[in-house]
Amino acid sequence: MKKIVLITGATSGIGEACAYKFAKEGWNIILTGRNEKRLDEVAAATRAMGAEVKTLVFDVRDRQAAKAAIESLEGEWATPDTLVNNAGLALGLNKEHEGDLDDWETMIDTNIKGLLTMTRLIVPRMVERDRGHVINIGSIAGDAAYAGGNVYCATKSAVKALTDGLRIDLAETSVRVTNIKPGLVETNFSVTRFHGDKERADNVYRGIRPLTGEDIADTVYYAAAAPDHVQIAEVTILATHQANVNVICRKE
Ligand code: NDP
Ligand code: 8X3
């Protein structure tokens, strides 16, 4: 029987690349996201690769919508083998004392509370079956702060703590828990961060060859496909010319 992965934020970037990678490797897929049209496009592309695909349209910040969506899954689909908690975003790069409170709330509600909601909905089913895998997309931003990163970095520090905590809480079960921590990945991430300012977004990747969503999807899949007794706890992935959040060697 084919394994099933549920991916949040599958309409773009790393989540979308994960959908194609898991489809290529013969998995069935539950794609979730807010943009129904994009979800349908990714679903069509992954079905063309041979996957059976379900789509669930909801915002991870909407607890009731998330609950209703997960409760609509039936049979083998109700308990995915792997949950990829990917949906997330950064908004702004303001100094902390000058930050936008609405942006802060959106990041905290999505990156922390949305991830927790999905974990709370899916993991009890994995525990009951004594099999499963939660892969959280954290970030090197969770390891150290950078100028203007403040609240986004805090949310990714929270992802690290929540991932480590979940791993401890599930150690008596066969459910595995992984934190994938990328550095610079060229996706829609920076366009979102700068509220649609593409020129400013492009500047983030100036003079360096960044990672791609596909690079991260390969690592996510590596963790998911490891033998059941192997738990990849944490992986940091950097572009070759990035040493940490604050050291990026740009070739002008
Ligand atoms: P993208 O902007 O390309 O993709 C983000 C995805 O998350 C989109 O599908 C987006 O959907 C979805 N999303 C955002 N908010 C919500 C929400 N409230 N409910 C449901 N879905 C939502 O960026 P990335 O692919 O780069 O980002 C994916 C993850 O990777 C994030 O958690 C990010 O923090 C993390 N990351 C990114 C890095 C990078 O440099 N790009 C590095 C390290 C980590 P929609 O289109 O509807 O907004
Ligand atoms: C995204 C990576 O360094 O731009 O989490 O914050 S960074």
Side-chain angles (χ1 to χ4, degrees), residues 56-249:
L56 298 175
V57 185
F58 65 93
D59 185 318
V60 294
R61 293 172 297 173
D62 184 338
R63 198 189 293 176
Q64 293 313 321
K67 187 166 182 283
I70 298 308
E71 285 179 353
S72 76
L73 294 169
E74 291 178 341
E76 61 182 5
W77 293 92
T79 311
D81 295 276
T82 298
L83 163 65
V84 180
N85 267 324
N86 163 77
L89 77 174
L91 288 172
L93 206 54
N94 297 325
K95 292 179 187 295
E96 193 167 321
H97 58 289
E98 295 168 354
D100 182 304
L101 275 78
D102 289 334
D103 283 353
W104 292 357
E105 194 166 69
T106 302
M107 287 187 277
I108 290 166
D109 286 354
T110 309
N111 301 359
I112 304 177
K113 291 162 70 178
L115 176 142
L116 273 171
T117 296
M118 294 307 295
T119 301
R120 184 67 182 85
L121 288 169
I122 303 274
V123 173
R125 300 172 180 204
M126 294 177 169
V127 170
E128 194 179 330
R129 196 170 64 178
D130 198 28
R131 182 163 57 82
H133 193 171
V134 179
I135 302 181
N136 290 333
I137 306 300
S139 171
I140 59 166
D143 289 343
Y146 54 86
N150 45 70
V151 173
Y152 177 69
C153 295
T155 67
K156 291 300 180 177
S157 282
V159 171
K160 175 167 171 51
L162 294 170
T163 312
D164 289 345
L166 186 66
R167 194 180 308 108
I168 293 165
D169 294 341
L170 292 174
E172 63 186 5
T173 77
S174 300
V175 180
R176 302 181 293 178
V177 186
T178 299
N179 187 13
I180 303 287
K181 302 189 303 180
L184 288 176
V185 188
E186 191 164 15
T187 60
N188 211 40
F189 178 84
S190 293
V191 177
T192 298
R193 167 168 254 171
F194 299 125
H195 299 280
D197 184 339
K198 178 83 170 65
E199 200 177 326
R200 195 170 170 203
D202 287 345
N203 202 40
V204 172
Y205 311 105
R206 175 185 45 83
I208 183 169
R209 181 174 171 185
L211 298 166
T212 63
E214 290 73 26
D215 295 324
I216 308 309
D218 283 347
T219 305
V220 169
Y221 185 75
Y222 178 84
D228 286 347
H229 70 288
V230 177
Q231 177 172 228
I232 307 293
E234 196 169 285
V235 183
T236 302
I237 318 167
L238 300 173
T240 302
H241 294 290
Q242 176 170 28
N244 60 37
V245 279
N246 288 306
V247 178
I248 299 167
C249 182

